[in-house]
Amino acid sequence: MRAHHVLLALVSVVSVSAQSLPVKKIYGVNIGNWLVMEPWMMKNEWVAMGGEHCDTACSTCIGSEMALAQSLGTSVDAVFQQHWNTWFNQTDINKIKAAGLNTVRIPLGYWLVEPLVNRTSEFYAKGGLKILKTRLKALKAAGINVILDHHALPGAAAINQMFAGLCTPTPQFYTTANYERALVWAAVMTAFIHLDADFASVFSLQAINEPVQDARQTPVLGQYEVDFVKTVRSIEQSIGVFVSGQKLPSGVASSLTVSNTILAIANSPKANISTSVRNALKKAQPMLVTLIYANGARVTKVGSTRKPLFTNFMEYYWQNSGQANPADAASGPQTYDQHLYYNFGGVAKAHTETAYMTHLCNLDRVAKDTAVRNTPVYFGEFSLATGWNATDSFLNIWADAQKLMYSQSSGWIFWSFKIEDGQDEKRQWDYFETLKRGYMTQNPASYHNSSVCATYKGKTT
Ligand SMILES: *[C@@H]1O[C@H](CO)[C@@H](O)[C@H](O)[C@H]1NC(C)=O
Ligand SMILES: *[C@@H]1O[C@H](CO)[C@@H](O)[C@H](O)[C@H]1NC(C)=O
Ligand SMILES: *[C@@H]1O[C@H](CO)[C@@H](O)[C@H](O)[C@H]1NC(C)=O
Ligand SMILES: *[C@@H]1O[C@H](CO)[C@@H](O)[C@H](O)[C@H]1NC(C)=O
Ligand SMILES: *[C@@H]1O[C@H](CO)[C@@H](O)[C@H](O)[C@H]1NC(C)=O
């Protein structure tokens, strides 16, 4: 018996330290324009909801989610609820399943954790967590794995971008107060993921989508990365989910409720966490009790049947000019997210078929990420968009080549699952449409021509 136990313990240590992704290869779509809205993806519905399309920067009219929520006043919750119900529902989940995809990445706003919103100066609809829970339950039933992504952060983390929730030329995320709010968000979401059975197919939590690329403008983002991981792992410890070598800090009893254990960790001088993480855990605890009870989950010990989450960051080269390496923040399983769009420029040497294919077929990004320990990495955003109106035959090739090259990583996630009917963007940005037109193949793992890169390999333009 004794020997048997030792063996089991060894086996479990080994399996935890090399925790693998839930699938061999990720084939997925982003659930864009759902809980974080991007007006360019649904031009008519946005106007019908009361929004506007700005002539210049999206900060100059009702061109972002916060601007619309503010202008709607008391009708905001009902208007957004209608969008949430219809933009992504069981019909879409069935189509994702039928397309042979195994993963979705869901962009979320900080306002999902409603107590984080300062309602004197920030405006967002309420009720997002409830609809998220409903759809996660359906995704679980369909066997689809989920990455939850903190896409729109407190104060906004990107410059003049609809996806930041608030369009602003001067993002305010990169401050101690807002980092701390994002940590509270991470704490609450981690607890939900492990305690609420509807969240059971969530395997990964992303700390921040596409921060400002010049790291000189994002002070101490590296500390936020470290603190994000510590927050996730502290909450997991309180639930009894440990990564290899971890245990509760001494003096923190393991027989308490989750809610009390969170506070005990926050107050323990032995816990190796920063003041920001301590503060975040203390602030998250009462929110968690309220939100979890309100949403019907139980705040009691669940034991260690769950696996630790993959903490998730944009890969190292997303930023430049003195950026931190997110690999330095890792404690337990972690993944890295690579985004690549050719149509915006700055990637291939020109907007031509040959330039795109030559660049793509010689892509060195996976190798470069691996060299800085950013592995496993996957391509969490890409589309078929091109800097010119591409022909159908080129889009077959372009789809094949991107899938082929991105499959050198742990997989790919297309942006996005759908675009409003009637828009030009649909052809190259709507996965269901690309499938219908035959650019993407019915089996995501197959190709029209698996030698699509053969004539471009080793060439330069
Ligand atoms: C999903 O919403 C669409 C409207 O966008 C609607 O046609 C469809 O019936 C809905 N599906 C379900 C299962 O409610
Ligand atoms: C909420 O925002 C207002 C206006 O910006 C500010 O004066 C106030 O201090 C904020 N409240 C908190 C709790 O941060
Ligand atoms: C505390 O955490 C830091 C990383 O944030 C790590 O470098 C250090 O080794 C840890 N100290 C102890 C005593 O575990
Ligand atoms: C782009 O080309 C396709 C097919 O080649 C054509 O159907 C479509 O109308 C064109 N779109 C624009 C905006 O010119
Ligand atoms: C596949 O692509 C390669 C490289 O462009 C090309 O040489 C070959 O003819 C293609 N095969 C088919 C069946 O189209």
Side-chain angles (χ1 to χ4, degrees):
M1 271 319 271
R2 198 184 169 88
H4 186 64
H5 273 127
V6 169
L7 188 63
L8 275 181
L10 281 175
V11 166
S12 78
V13 167
V14 169
S15 69
V16 167
S17 63
Q19 187 176 316
S20 50
L21 291 165
V23 286
K24 271 208 177 105
K25 202 62 91 176
I26 291 172
Y27 299 117
V29 283
N30 282 278
I31 309 301
N33 187 45
W34 183 45
L35 292 172
V36 176
M37 282 157 70
E38 300 195 29
W40 70 273
M41 296 173 67
M42 50 158 206
K43 290 177 183 162
N44 291 324
E45 190 189 329
W46 180 252
V47 172
M49 289 174 78
E52 299 169 340
H53 298 290
C54 316
D55 291 333
T56 54
C58 53
S59 59
T60 59
C61 73
I62 305 175
S64 70
E65 181 151 351
M66 187 169 112
L68 178 56
Q70 181 168 14
S71 82
L72 286 172
T74 52
S75 65
V76 61
D77 292 355
V79 169
F80 275 70
Q81 190 65 53
Q82 167 71 14
H83 170 71
W84 294 337
N85 286 340
T86 52
W87 184 258
F88 176 56
N89 62 24
Q90 186 66 49
T91 307
D92 303 294
I93 294 171
N94 296 346
K95 285 165 84 174
I96 289 168
K97 185 75 186 165
L101 302 171
N102 58 30
T103 304
V104 295
R105 173 173 178 261
I106 306 183
L108 301 172
Y110 77 94
W111 54 87
L112 197 74
V113 177
E114 288 165 16
L116 283 174
V117 179
N118 177 345
R119 304 218 175 253
T120 65
S121 53
E122 299 173 340
F123 308 92
Y124 291 101
K126 292 182 182 169
L129 199 50
K130 201 163 187 180
I131 191 85
L132 175 64
K133 207 170 124 65
T134 307
R135 294 297 183 262
L136 286 177
K137 187 177 183 179
L139 285 162
K140 185 176 93 172
I144 311 273
N145 300 302
V146 178
I147 298 165
L148 294 182
D149 152 37
H150 202 176
H151 205 79
L153 294 108
I159 301 166
N160 283 327
Q161 292 286 353
M162 298 169 186
F163 72 68
L166 165 67
C167 272
T168 171
T170 52
Q172 298 299 313
F173 171 64
Y174 306 96
T175 62
T176 306
N178 280 328
Y179 284 140
E180 208 170 285
R181 286 206 285 171
L183 296 176
V184 174
W185 187 95
V188 170
M189 294 310 294
T190 301
F192 259 93
I193 291 166
H194 287 306
L195 293 172
D196 186 326
D198 291 346
F199 283 63
S201 59
V202 178
F203 70 99
S204 172
L205 189 64
Q206 185 162 10
I208 176 171
N209 175 67
E210 299 192 359
V212 171
Q213 292 186 285
D214 181 345
R216 290 167 303 190
Q217 295 178 44
T218 65
V220 289
L221 187 61
Q223 183 63 40
Y224 169 67
E225 292 170 356
V226 169
D227 285 347
F228 175 85
V229 174
K230 297 243 177 181
T231 301
V232 170
R233 300 301 175 221
S234 295
I235 292 290
E236 289 183 332
Q237 287 174 353
S238 76
I239 292 163
V241 178
F242 297 101
V243 305
S244 176
Q246 266 188 339
K247 52 185 181 354
L248 280 172
S250 55
V252 176
S254 60
S255 59
L256 300 168
T257 64
V258 167
S259 163
N260 289 340
T261 310
I262 294 169
L263 278 189
I265 293 173
N267 291 323
S268 165
K270 298 262 172 62
N272 183 12
I273 52 179
S274 69
T275 307
S276 289
V277 175
R278 279 182 206 286
N279 290 343
L281 293 175
K282 284 181 200 171
K283 285 180 183 159
Q285 187 268 357
M287 292 182 196
L288 203 53
V289 172
T290 316
L291 290 171
I292 286 210
Y293 279 134
N295 286 280
R298 289 168 61 230
V299 188
T300 50
K301 271 274 187 279
V302 291
S304 51
T305 53
R306 292 273 311 173
K307 285 185 188 162
L309 286 175
F310 283 83
T311 46
N312 183 336
F313 299 96
M314 298 296 297
E315 47 78 46
Y316 177 69
Y317 294 103
W318 172 260
Q319 284 198 297
N320 57 56
S321 307
Q323 74 274 35
N325 186 345
D328 293 338
S331 163
Q334 184 158 296
T335 51
Y336 303 86
D337 185 7
Q338 174 71 255
H339 293 182
L340 187 49
Y341 294 107
Y342 281 74
N343 58 303
F344 299 126
V347 182
K349 284 185 178 164
H351 291 293
T352 64
E353 294 184 359
T354 307
Y356 275 32
M357 289 296 288
T358 305
H359 186 279
L360 176 63
C361 292
N362 294 289
L363 199 67
D364 59 358
R365 292 194 172 201
V366 176
K368 284 176 78 180
D369 283 333
T370 303
V372 291
R373 297 171 287 127
N374 280 206
T375 180
V377 61
Y378 59 84
F379 285 75
E381 287 193 21
F382 74 103
S383 76
L384 296 189
T386 46
W388 70 95
N389 187 19
T391 61
D392 290 328
S393 61
F394 180 67
L395 292 181
N396 282 336
I397 293 169
W398 189 228
D400 268 358
Q402 289 197 83
K403 283 160 48 185
L404 187 72
M405 294 308 294
Y406 303 162
S407 294
Q408 295 177 349
S409 74
S410 292
W412 49 258
I413 307 176
F414 190 84
W415 188 282
S416 180
F417 77 118
K418 82 181 194 197
I419 299 286
E420 186 178 272
D421 286 347
Q423 288 190 210
D424 285 344
E425 289 88 347
K426 211 171 163 68
R427 183 167 171 249
Q428 286 163 284
W429 293 93
D430 176 321
Y431 193 86
F432 299 147
E433 181 74 13
T434 63
L435 201 54
K436 199 162 92 187
R437 288 171 176 264
Y439 311 144
M440 290 292 181
T441 50
Q442 184 52 50
N443 174 356
S446 68
Y447 303 93
H448 302 287
N449 178 358
S450 59
S451 306
V452 66
C453 273
T455 51
Y456 299 95
K457 279 243 156 66
K459 301 248 168 75
T460 50
T461 31

